[in-house]
Amino acid sequence: MFESISFGSVSLPQAIRETTAKFALPVAPDLVPAGWPSPAQDYFDGDIDLNEHLIRNKPATFVVRVAGDSMIGAGISDGDELIVDRSLEPGEGSVVIAVIDGELTVKRLRFGTKGPELHPENSAYPVLYPHELSIWGVVTRCLHRL
């Protein structure tokens, strides 16, 4: 799906390639209750194209793999894959991929009184107060294995 390119000392994936092939999955017509089960439906209602639901801007979209547990409170775990859109403008509370001292990190962006702050979602890690901050992209989805 992606190849690495070099960004200083950081290896980054290339954008998701345009493709004419679509990967469609069947969609059940009803919601699946998370409480008491309802009688199961034994038919499906068409297909869903995951590209349409997961990717807003293909040339600016990347997949990155997470290493570490600093974002577990946000539901992002070690080994998860994040869909990152480089065309989006980060805002207060956005989960972002930031470049700090030539290294990539995933954190929640906050704007404090002294400037931008990068907050982990795990109390075992400190808040980062970068002197220089480069936002590489905004996380739009987390692909988490069960």
Side-chain angles (χ1 to χ4, degrees), residues 1-145:
M1 182 183 292
F2 59 90
E3 297 174 13
S4 292
I5 59 174
S6 179
F7 179 81
S9 63
V10 179
S11 180
L12 302 176
Q14 288 185 336
I16 293 174
R17 291 183 185 85
E18 289 285 337
T19 177
T20 56
K22 293 195 178 212
F23 182 68
L25 296 174
V27 177
D30 297 324
L31 298 175
V32 176
W36 297 103
S38 65
Q41 299 290 332
D42 57 358
Y43 63 93
F44 287 88
D45 189 31
D47 291 336
I48 185 171
D49 180 3
L50 293 178
N51 291 313
E52 291 177 18
H53 290 277
L54 298 177
I55 300 169
R56 298 177 192 162
N57 183 348
K58 281 186 183 183
T61 301
F62 296 76
V63 175
V64 298
R65 191 164 288 123
V66 176
D69 63 354
S70 72
M71 294 298 288
I72 58 172
I76 300 172
S77 301
D78 184 61
D80 285 352
E81 294 164 332
L82 303 177
I83 297 178
V84 180
D85 189 331
R86 297 200 65 201
S87 68
L88 296 178
E89 192 70 30
E92 171 70 23
S94 294
V95 175
V96 299
I97 304 297
V99 181
I100 304 290
D101 297 327
E103 299 290 328
L104 293 179
T105 186
V106 57
K107 298 288 181 278
R108 188 170 304 278
L109 179 64
R110 299 279 184 211
F111 298 107
T113 57
K114 295 182 181 182
E117 304 170 352
L118 295 173
H119 288 253
E121 296 281 340
N122 180 339
S123 61
Y125 295 87
V127 174
L128 302 175
Y129 304 93
H131 296 292
E132 291 186 28
L133 177 62
S134 175
I135 302 297
W136 189 78
V138 177
V139 176
T140 60
R141 297 275 195 261
C142 176
L143 305 176
H144 180 77
R145 293 190 193 276

